[in-house]
C-alpha cells in the first residue's frame, strides 16, 4: 500500500509539463527509437537520484550554503538558455527511423538530462520539503517502500512518454515538429531566464 502511494505520488509529481518532459519529448520526436529509449533511461537516472537526494534532505544544504544556491542558479540558468537556443536555431526537424544516424552525442544528452533535473535549486528545496515530509511520516521500511514507488513512477513515466511519442510521431508533419521545437525552445529559454532573474534578485540586486 505504501509502495502504491509512492507510485501515485511520483506520477503526480513528474507528470506536469516541465524541463525533463520537454527534453524527453523532443528526443523521442527526433531520434531513432532505441536511442530515444536510452535517453529516457538517462533522464530517469537523474530524476531518481534527485528524488533520493530530496528524500534524504539535500535541499537543506542550499538553505545553509547560499553560495551553492547562487552557483546553481547562475550555471543552471546559462546552461538551460543554451539548450533552448539550440532548439530555436534548428532549421529542420525530421522524424528519424532506426536506420538513420543523425548528429547526436550521448555526452551532450547526459549533460542536458543532468541540467534539467539537478540545476534547479527551487526543485531541490521543494522536493526536499515534499519528500522529506513523507519520510518523516513513514519511518523505517515504509519509507523505503514509498521512495521505491516514486522511483518506479519515474521509470514508468519517462519510458511510457517516449513510447507514446514514438507511436504517433510518424503521423506528424515536419512543419508541426519544427513548430513544437520552437515552442519547447521558447519555454526552456524562459525557464533559464527565470533562474538568472532569481540569481540577480537574490545575490546581485
Amino acid at each position: 500500500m505504501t509502495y502504491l502511494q509512492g507510485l501515485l505520488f511520483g506520477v503526480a509529481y513528474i507528470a506536469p509539463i516541465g524541463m525533463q518532459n520537454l527534453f524527453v519529448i523532443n528526443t523521442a520526436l527526433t531520434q531513432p527509437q532505441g536511442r530515444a529509449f536510452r535517453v529516457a533511461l538517462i533522464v530517469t537516472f537523474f530524476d531518481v537520484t534527485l528524488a533520493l537526494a530530496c528524500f534524504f534532505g539535500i535541499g537543506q544544504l542550499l538553505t545553509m550554503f547560499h553560495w551553492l544556491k547562487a552557483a546553481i542558479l547562475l550555471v543552471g540558468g546559462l546552461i538551460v538558455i543554451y539548450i533552448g537556443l539550440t532548439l530555436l536555431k534548428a532549421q529542420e526537424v525530421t522524424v528519424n527511423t532506426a536506420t538513420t544516424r543523425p548528429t547526436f552525442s550521448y555526452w551532450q544528452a547526459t549533460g542536458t538530462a543532468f541540467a534539467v533535473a539537478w540545476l534547479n535549486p527551487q526543485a531541490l528545496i521543494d522536493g526536499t520539503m515534499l519528500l522529506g515530509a513523507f519520510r518523516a511520516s513513514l519511518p523505517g521500511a515504509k519509507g523505503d517502500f514509498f521512495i521505491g514507488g516514486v522511483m518506479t513512477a519515474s521509470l514508468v513515466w519517462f519510458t511510457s512518454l517516449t513510447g507514446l511519442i514514438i507511436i504517433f510521431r510518424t503521423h506528424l508533419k515536419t512543419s508541426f515538429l519544427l513548430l513544437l521545437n520552437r515552442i519547447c525552445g521558447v519555454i526552456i529559454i524562459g525557464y533559464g531566464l527565470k533562474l538568472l532573474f532569481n540569481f540577480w534578485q537574490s545575490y546581485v540586486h
Side-chain angles (χ1 to χ4, degrees), residues 37 155-165:
F37 276 110
L155 176 63
V156 171
W157 176 262
F158 289 120
T159 53
S160 298
L161 180 62
T162 297
L164 190 64
I165 296 298

Side-chain angles (χ1 to χ4, degrees), residues 4 8 19 22 29 35 39 60-62 74 80 85 92 106-107 118 125 153 155 158 160 162 164 173 178 186:
L4 180 60
L8 294 175
M19 287 285 294
L22 289 175
L29 284 172
R35 186 176 293 164
V39 170
Q60 296 174 2
L61 291 176
L62 299 184
L74 179 60
V80 167
L85 288 174
E92 182 180 6
Y106 277 110
W107 285 109
W118 276 86
I125 295 173
L155 176 63
F158 289 120
S160 298
T162 297
L164 190 64
K173 295 182 179 180
L178 187 59
V186 169

Side-chain angles (χ1 to χ4, degrees), residues 150-199:
V150 174
M151 294 163 63
T152 303
S154 179
L155 176 63
V156 171
W157 176 262
F158 289 120
T159 53
S160 298
L161 180 62
T162 297
L164 190 64
I165 296 298
I166 288 173
I167 290 173
F168 290 103
R169 67 182 182 179
T170 53
H171 303 290
L172 302 176
K173 295 182 179 180
T174 302
S175 57
F176 176 78
L177 296 178
L178 187 59
L179 176 62
L180 185 61
N181 227 36
R182 296 282 193 267
I183 293 174
C184 289
V186 169
I187 294 174
I188 289 173
I189 289 174
Y191 181 85
L193 290 174
K194 180 178 180 295
L195 292 179
L196 292 182
F197 177 75
N198 289 341
F199 168 77

Side-chain angles (χ1 to χ4, degrees), residues 47-204:
D47 187 68
V48 165
T49 55
L50 177 63
L52 287 171
C54 290
F55 190 68
F56 291 106
I58 196 173
Q60 296 174 2
L61 291 176
L62 299 184
T63 60
M64 294 171 58
F65 301 103
H66 295 290
W67 64 268
L68 179 60
K69 182 177 179 180
I72 293 177
L73 281 171
L74 179 60
V75 175
L78 293 174
I79 291 177
V80 167
I81 288 174
Y82 171 78
I83 295 170
L85 288 174
T86 301
L87 293 177
L88 280 182
K89 289 191 296 184
Q91 297 300 313
E92 182 180 6
V93 179
T94 57
V95 174
N96 294 291
T97 64
T99 58
T100 60
R101 292 292 181 270
T103 302
F104 181 84
S105 168
Y106 277 110
W107 285 109
Q108 183 177 3
T110 301
T112 302
F114 170 76
V116 298
W118 276 86
L119 296 183
N120 182 357
Q122 197 60 52
L124 282 168
I125 295 173
D126 292 345
T128 297
M129 294 176 62
L130 287 170
L131 291 172
F134 278 103
R135 186 188 180 207
S137 64
L138 298 169
K142 287 187 176 181
D144 296 335
F145 280 114
F146 178 82
I147 193 63
V150 174
M151 294 163 63
T152 303
S154 179
L155 176 63
V156 171
W157 176 262
F158 289 120
T159 53
S160 298
L161 180 62
T162 297
L164 190 64
I165 296 298
I166 288 173
I167 290 173
F168 290 103
R169 67 182 182 179
T170 53
H171 303 290
L172 302 176
K173 295 182 179 180
T174 302
S175 57
F176 176 78
L177 296 178
L178 187 59
L179 176 62
L180 185 61
N181 227 36
R182 296 282 193 267
I183 293 174
C184 289
V186 169
I187 294 174
I188 289 173
I189 289 174
Y191 181 85
L193 290 174
K194 180 178 180 295
L195 292 179
L196 292 182
F197 177 75
N198 289 341
F199 168 77
W200 177 82
Q201 191 177 42
S202 300
Y203 303 99
V204 178

